[in-house]
Amino acid sequence: MTRCSWLPEGDKLYENYHDHEWGRPLHDDHKLYEMFVLELFQAGLSWRIILGKREAFREAYDDFDINKVACYDEKKVDELMQNKAIIRSLNKIKASISNSKIILTIIKEYGSFNNYVWSFTNNQIIYELGKTTNAISDAMSKDLKKRGVKYAGSVTIYSFLQAVGVINSHEEDCFLYHREKKPEVE
């Protein structure tokens, strides 16, 4: 089975993520929020590091219950900073809390985080390869920054959009590559 070339061969955790999650359209608010938080923690690091700490993040972040995370106080921040199983960046931890409050306002405005995320493509999947940003990630990043979200640069948002299937970037040789059907000519 041929996978995307960026995937380290024999890394079962990464292979499972690639085969069952990455690039697949995601519409569940809870999962979208989890991926959003994880992608923002990933800024400046490899995704493999985050993937290896995902279960620890789930435990430390109350299974990514956005309502709980949005209410984290200084005591919880200190607890997270002592947790060696997650990324212990004070700025990213504090940003994850303030970002959660902002996402709750987005949910109120759009009815769901899913509606917000997918609104940037009118609920369409974008198929493209070899990019790290595009007009969609630029627009979403700009909107999130305007709202006060931290660690939401266009590269990070592009990576998030790939992870949740808004952008499908599986390579042509990959078994998950989507070959768009050409309209039939009559």
Side-chain angles (χ1 to χ4, degrees):
M1 180 180 309
T2 304
R3 294 179 172 93
C4 292
S5 62
W6 53 262
L7 189 67
E9 196 172 324
D11 185 331
K12 295 301 180 198
L13 181 65
Y14 224 157
E15 286 176 1
N16 186 55
Y17 172 72
H18 171 273
D19 295 356
H20 302 286
E21 289 185 73
W22 191 73
R24 299 206 178 213
L26 187 58
H27 295 283
D28 177 85
D29 266 16
H30 182 257
K31 292 285 188 187
L32 284 167
Y33 170 69
E34 174 181 341
M35 293 307 295
F36 188 76
V37 172
L38 292 175
E39 285 288 349
L40 300 188
F41 266 99
Q42 186 263 334
L45 302 169
S46 79
W47 181 247
R48 180 59 179 91
I49 291 171
I50 301 301
L51 200 55
K53 295 178 178 290
R54 188 180 197 178
E55 289 306 318
F57 268 107
R58 282 180 178 151
E59 186 176 328
Y61 271 76
D62 292 295
D63 194 33
F64 292 102
D65 181 326
I66 190 170
N67 293 302
K68 288 181 180 178
V69 176
C71 293
Y72 284 176
D73 57 14
E74 285 303 315
K75 182 179 176 192
K76 182 64 176 185
V77 170
D78 291 342
E79 177 187 314
L80 292 169
M81 285 297 294
Q82 300 304 314
N83 187 337
K84 294 178 181 178
I86 65 168
I87 304 300
R88 295 182 294 166
S89 163
L90 181 60
N91 289 337
K92 288 181 179 181
I93 289 169
K94 286 186 173 186
S96 70
I97 299 165
S98 63
N99 290 350
S100 297
K101 293 173 187 174
I102 296 165
I103 291 172
L104 285 173
T105 65
I106 289 171
I107 291 168
K108 210 175 245 186
E109 181 181 341
Y110 282 81
S112 70
F113 192 41
N114 175 70
N115 290 344
Y116 174 78
V117 169
W118 285 88
S119 73
F120 289 89
T121 62
N122 292 321
N123 296 310
Q124 299 300 308
I125 298 169
I126 306 303
Y127 298 94
E128 64 183 19
L129 300 169
K131 294 186 178 183
T132 57
T133 64
N134 65 11
I136 298 160
S137 64
D138 290 346
M140 187 172 176
S141 172
K142 183 178 179 182
D143 183 69
L144 289 168
K145 286 180 178 180
K146 183 179 77 178
R147 294 170 184 271
V149 173
K150 307 242 183 331
Y151 294 97
S154 189
V155 172
T156 298
I157 296 305
Y158 191 88
S159 181
F160 166 72
L161 294 173
Q162 286 177 305
V164 301
V166 174
I167 298 172
N168 184 316
S169 296
H170 284 285
E171 297 168 355
E172 289 185 38
D173 290 342
C174 179
F175 79 99
L176 291 169
Y177 178 72
H178 176 79
R179 300 183 197 307
E180 295 183 68
K181 294 181 181 172
K182 305 260 191 259
E184 292 183 25
V185 179
E186 293 184 22

